[in-house]
Amino acid sequence: MIGKPRNSIRRKLTTIIMLTTMMAVALACLGLVAKDVIDVRRDMDQDLLALGEMISMNSTAPLTFGDRKEAGAVLALLQSKPSVVSGAVYTDHDLPFATYIPGKRVALPAHPRSAEGIVRSNGLVELFRPIMLDGKRVGTVYIASDLRDVRARMKEDAQFVVILLGACLVLAFLLSSRLQRRISAPIVELARVAGAVSQDKDYTIRAAGRGAHADDEIGELVTGFNAMLAEIEQRDHSLMRYQMQLEETVAVRTEELTQANRSLLTAKNAAERIAEVNAQLARESALILNSATDGIMGVGPDFEPSFLNPAAARMLGRELGDFAGHSPHELIHHSRADGTPLPEAECPMSESLRRGEALTMCDDTFWRADGSSFPIEYSATPTRDEAGNMIGAVVMFRDVTERRAIERLKSEFVSTVSHELRTPLTSIRGALGLLGSGLLGPIPDKAQRMLEIAVSNTDRLVRLINDILDLERIESGRVELTRAAVDAESVMVQAAEGLQTMADQAQVRLVVVRTAGSLWGDGDRIIQTLTNLLGNAIKFSPPDTTVTLTGAAGPADYEFCITDEGRGVPEDKLQTIFDRFSQVDASDSRDKGGSGLGLAICQSIVNAHGGRIWAERNEPAGSSFHFTIPLVAGVAVAVPIAAFPSSHTILLCPSDATSRIAAMLGARGFRVVSASTAADVIARAGSERPDAIVLAVTTPDDGWLIVEALKGAAETCQIPIVVAMSDHPGSYESYAATVANWIRKPLRSDDLIQALDLACRTPSVLVVEDDLDLARVMTTALESRGIRTLHAVNGGDAVQLCKQHEPSLIVLDVGLPDMDGFAVVGTLRESAALSRIPLLVYSALDVGSADQSRLRLGPTEFLTKSRTSLADFESHVVRLLETVTNQSNRNLHAA
Amino acid sequence: MPPRQLLVIDDEDDIREVAKLSLQLTEGWEVFTANGGLAGVTLAGSMTPDAILLDVMMPDTDGPSTFGLLQQGTATKSIPVIFLTAKVQSSDRERFMRLGVRGIIAKPFDPLKLGQQIREVLSWS
């Protein structure tokens, strides 16, 4: 805030003007006074000189004549000058000749000769003037004057200056106080306006006074000031606007913040509720886990159990602590049900956990701490984090001892009932048959009719019992399907032939439209299904109609279709017709001799094959029954089958199913040569030099003659022979030694392919070792045993070679220049085929148990270089190669 | 030519009777019966029938055991044996055939066709 200024600009301006004036006047006066003093002095000097001249001239004579009186008279002339304080005339010898001292006594100079002219000293002005006569100095005039004239003059000057100054100041004050307004007034106005603006904050006020100063700086100042005010006013407005906007914004933000706060609060409450629910869930989970009767085991990423629920602990007789440093397999799954050891490498549970795949097994055995075992079914499910990485697994298992017992009881019960029911039925049926035959004597017609009813119902009861047993066995899964490649045309013809008589009796035409296709299934069961459906169709067909059986091969399935021209299936029964005892008409069972289970059995068989079965209504009459069975080609994609180069030639020997096997092999790109007789086999083996011989024999003795002949001849003794027979050739030791492999009849395509693969392949070992000398030692040793070797100096080459050659065994060094052994194993595990290759880890250092699990492929062994002799190494390789062959054999036999 | 002699071994009296009667009436064969495995083996040793119809499910000595005993006896070794069984599962059928029996006839049988079935199995004219 601007107050009233103490020194207003007016006073300042007045003061400045007056000071300036005073200084100017003072300076002027000082100059005048100085000049006046100089003038006075000069005049005084001239007066003295004139006086001296005059006295000098007038003193010559008195001096010459020694007339002191005259000289005194001359000096007396000095009286005209009151300022002269003393005067004297000296002789040539500086002796005072005459003196003049008007006032108080003053000293006269003693040696006037020494000075000449005017000398100023001690407030006096002294004149020394020689007195000359004819060019000869005769004496000296001395005159001393004080400065009273000068002082008097200065006094006058000072008075004048003071008066002048005073007058000037008065004049200056009068003028300045009137003139300063022209400058100060606008400024004062500005100040006033500024004060008003600052006091009232009113930026609309404008300063006046521009008029008189239109063209000078003050004018500009006023203009600038007003412009500034305008600017401020505008800014003020803007500011106010901004302020208002700001307030609005703040209000909005505040509202938002409030809302956000509210949301946060809600979220917090929700989070608390969730936490509460979570805690509740955790409690419930714990309760569930603890009270579950199934065993539940959590496994960490290292496959070491991290959790065991009480039921699991009770069943296994173990605590969680028992598992420290052990995999579940080592403690509870180490042996098969028959007590033989189950290597971890062959354990499907460990395998699926390693691969991160879920697995359910219905028929396995766990071992308790006390060494006893119990049958279980279990599921192993990998657990994954949000990113999908496997972080462990959960193994849930159930003791199925009781269930097994019940199943056994049920099976026994069914078997017993079947026997117990059939036994009296056999007697009844036999007795009735004999009676009805008339062999025991003539029977009245009515009695005959009753006997026929009794016989037909007995037959029906027998069929019913048979069907119930059949259905029970298929659905319980106790009758395993014997899957093989099945020729679709062949099963169609077989089924149709079996029903031809029935069709003839019913006067129904049976037409088969054949389409080629190789089915993957149980031939007998497929024929059973076809027979059932064809039989139904014939039964429900009026005479002189046609029942047609057609087949069509799709991309993955083969579809059979049985069409009749009978009464058809009502729309509402199309779905339920496959249910047990569901017949379109309740009287069918009696009239047509069905058990009511035929379609249910068909459905069970088709479902067991992974196919579909359905019924359709045809216009104008009749119905169609369809069902599908997978094709071999469709299965071949899903079931990994050992890769086999297509260039191989296979010699097929006498067999009841030669054409089927030939088709099976041909479909996989083999070149197949067939031979029909033993002599033919031996001859063709010599001429064709096949890569393998498949010998299908009916009795071991038949085959042995051919095997002996083949092994006896030089050109055929090296050809691997695969023998297919119905029985295990266990007692025929000679076979085991000479035959490459044997498989069970009926032939299944993957068994055969696998057996051929094993038979034809020379075992090859991939040695992965960066130490070239060591690698050479190893490969030489193995080659000397007839084992083909491949060598890789780094992990990258090893993976490449594995993919190209799929060796029978890998010998792997862990420390490798590029990717280490773990990385190699990790990469190989990604491929289903390569992950099963047996592995011999041959490392410089001992491999710890944790690391061992990361280094497993198929059957895996660990050797430490420093502790293993070359002979040990070789024997390990040989043994591992043998395990592979044996394992494959066992798989084949078990299958 | 004397009539063919057949031995039926079954623990069920009724079935023995029906079988005996039907074979006698339809084929005219001479039929002997035994109510158990051991009795059957003894009888077979003494009379050496042309064929034996042997029930599978019997108490004490069942069909396969009886068949084993028959195979051990020098006199009975070469007698063809046909199993008569209510077990009609294919697995059982295979198992029985592997034992070396000549054929299997399912229960219940049609009394009028039993003889024909036996003749077919044994290739009798």
Side-chain angles (χ1 to χ4, degrees), chain A residues 134 172 195 202 262 321 324 381 497 601 746 750 798 833:
Chain A
D134 301 332
D202 180 1
R262 220 173 286 135
T381 315
E497 279 173 357
I601 291 173
D750 59 343

Side-chain angles (χ1 to χ4, degrees), chain A residues 85 98 184 187 192 321 357 451 494 509 517 567 647 691 715 749 782 849:
Chain A
V85 290
S184 66
I187 295 172
R192 185 189 64 75
E357 293 163 357
L451 281 172
Q494 283 184 54
R509 282 183 301 279
R567 65 185 184 199
S647 57
D691 295 283
E715 66 267 43
S749 67
L782 294 177
S849 61

Side-chain angles (χ1 to χ4, degrees), chain A residues 415-416 418-419 422-434 436-437 439-440 462 466 473 479 525 726-727, chain B residues 10-12 14-15 17-19 21-22 25-26 55 57-58 85-90 98 107-112:
Chain A
S415 180
T416 307
S418 78
H419 181 259
R422 272 177 229 245
T423 301
L425 276 172
T426 306
S427 301
I428 295 168
R429 176 67 179 81
L432 290 172
L434 283 175
S437 68
L439 291 169
L440 302 174
V462 171
N466 288 347
R473 279 200 303 270
V479 172
R525 292 292 178 181
S726 313
D727 258 319
Chain B
D10 198 312
D11 60 315
E12 281 279 328
D14 293 345
I15 293 180
E17 200 178 330
V18 169
L21 196 55
S22 58
L25 289 172
T26 56
D55 184 28
M57 294 275 277
M58 288 188 294
T85 179
K87 290 196 167 190
V88 289
Q89 298 171 30
S90 56
R98 226 173 289 147
K107 282 185 187 176
F109 52 85
D110 183 338
L112 304 181

Side-chain angles (χ1 to χ4, degrees), chain A residues 125-193:
Chain A
V125 180
E126 294 167 308
L127 174 74
F128 295 91
R129 186 165 190 319
I131 303 167
M132 309 295 284
L133 182 64
D134 301 332
K136 189 182 161 194
R137 182 165 182 162
V138 290
T140 307
V141 175
Y142 169 75
I143 302 167
S145 173
D146 62 11
L147 298 171
R148 77 179 65 170
D149 290 349
V150 178
R151 284 197 193 101
R153 193 61 172 268
M154 283 174 76
K155 200 171 170 183
E156 283 169 25
D157 287 351
Q159 284 165 355
F160 170 73
V161 164
V162 166
I163 291 162
L164 191 65
L165 263 176
C168 282
L169 281 176
V170 170
L171 190 66
F173 179 74
L174 290 174
L175 278 173
S176 67
S177 40
R178 202 164 283 278
L179 290 176
Q180 52 86 22
R181 273 182 209 151
R182 283 182 63 86
I183 294 168
S184 66
I187 295 172
V188 169
E189 168 71 1
L190 279 179
R192 185 189 64 75
V193 169

Side-chain angles (χ1 to χ4, degrees), chain A residues 469-479 481 525 528 601 604-605 608:
Chain A
L469 286 173
D470 213 11
L471 193 61
E472 195 274 331
R473 279 200 303 270
I474 296 169
E475 295 202 337
S476 70
R478 273 185 299 117
V479 172
L481 295 177
R525 292 292 178 181
Q528 185 184 357
I601 291 173
S604 295
I605 292 172

Side-chain angles (χ1 to χ4, degrees), chain A residues 488-505 509-512 514 527 530-531 534-535 538 547 549:
Chain A
E489 293 181 272
S490 152
V491 291
M492 288 165 90
V493 169
Q494 283 184 54
E497 279 173 357
L499 287 164
Q500 194 57 55
T501 319
M502 184 185 172
D504 291 344
Q505 282 169 3
R509 282 183 301 279
L510 192 53
V511 176
V512 179
R514 294 186 291 179
I527 291 173
L530 284 170
T531 306
L534 281 173
I538 294 167
V547 168
L549 169 61

Side-chain angles (χ1 to χ4, degrees), chain A residues 343-639:
Chain A
E344 186 151 10
E346 296 171 25
C347 164
M349 178 170 69
S350 307
E351 180 71 8
S352 71
L353 290 183
R354 270 200 301 278
R355 288 167 188 273
E357 293 163 357
L359 172 77
T360 303
M361 289 286 274
C362 298
D363 187 18
D364 211 332
T365 304
F366 275 0
W367 293 79
R368 298 192 185 92
D370 62 9
S372 61
S373 67
F374 56 105
I376 44 133
E377 63 178 32
Y378 70 83
S379 65
T381 315
T383 47
R384 297 178 188 282
D385 61 13
E386 287 83 352
N389 302 314
M390 199 178 126
I391 51 171
V394 175
V395 179
M396 288 185 67
F397 56 95
R398 175 175 295 175
D399 185 341
V400 290
T401 310
E402 276 184 38
R403 189 195 299 171
R404 284 287 132 77
I406 290 168
E407 278 169 6
R408 202 164 47 245
L409 272 178
K410 185 183 168 195
S411 172
E412 280 168 11
F413 175 76
V414 166
S415 180
T416 307
V417 165
S418 78
H419 181 259
E420 294 305 318
L421 282 175
R422 272 177 229 245
T423 301
L425 276 172
T426 306
S427 301
I428 295 168
R429 176 67 179 81
L432 290 172
L434 283 175
L435 266 179
S437 68
L439 291 169
L440 302 174
I443 306 279
D445 281 354
K446 283 183 182 169
Q448 180 75 35
R449 173 70 192 132
M450 289 304 115
L451 281 172
E452 281 168 11
I453 291 173
V455 167
S456 78
N457 280 282
T458 312
D459 287 345
R460 191 175 142 205
L461 198 52
V462 171
R463 278 198 304 276
L464 185 60
I465 292 168
N466 288 347
D467 282 356
I468 288 175
L469 286 173
D470 213 11
L471 193 61
E472 195 274 331
R473 279 200 303 270
I474 296 169
E475 295 202 337
S476 70
R478 273 185 299 117
V479 172
E480 282 276 314
L481 295 177
T482 316
R483 283 194 179 84
V486 176
D487 181 40
E489 293 181 272
S490 152
V491 291
M492 288 165 90
V493 169
Q494 283 184 54
E497 279 173 357
L499 287 164
Q500 194 57 55
T501 319
M502 184 185 172
D504 291 344
Q505 282 169 3
Q507 295 169 35
V508 171
R509 282 183 301 279
L510 192 53
V511 176
V512 179
V513 183
R514 294 186 291 179
T515 306
S518 186
L519 313 177
W520 183 246
D522 185 328
D524 290 343
R525 292 292 178 181
I526 296 172
I527 291 173
Q528 185 184 357
T529 309
L530 284 170
T531 306
N532 240 322
L533 294 174
L534 281 173
N536 268 351
I538 294 167
K539 266 187 272 178
F540 292 106
S541 288
D544 283 333
T545 57
T546 307
V547 168
T548 315
L549 169 61
T550 58
D557 291 310
Y558 191 94
E559 183 181 325
F560 292 98
C561 176
I562 294 99
T563 308
D564 64 59
E565 296 166 4
R567 65 185 184 199
V569 181
E571 200 73 41
D572 60 333
K573 300 265 178 147
L574 287 175
Q575 296 294 325
T576 56
I577 198 168
F578 295 100
D579 294 347
R580 297 178 185 199
F581 301 111
S582 159
Q583 291 199 333
V584 172
D585 189 323
S587 65
D588 285 347
S589 178
R590 192 174 58 245
D591 296 349
K592 307 292 180 183
S595 67
L597 292 171
L599 288 176
I601 291 173
C602 290
Q603 189 177 38
S604 295
I605 292 172
V606 172
N607 287 348
H609 276 89
R612 291 186 307 126
I613 186 165
W614 69 100
E616 283 171 5
R617 210 178 139 73
N618 293 339
E619 292 303 330
S623 51
S624 295
F625 283 81
H626 304 255
F627 72 96
T628 64
I629 298 290
L631 283 168
V632 169
V635 175
V637 177
V639 179

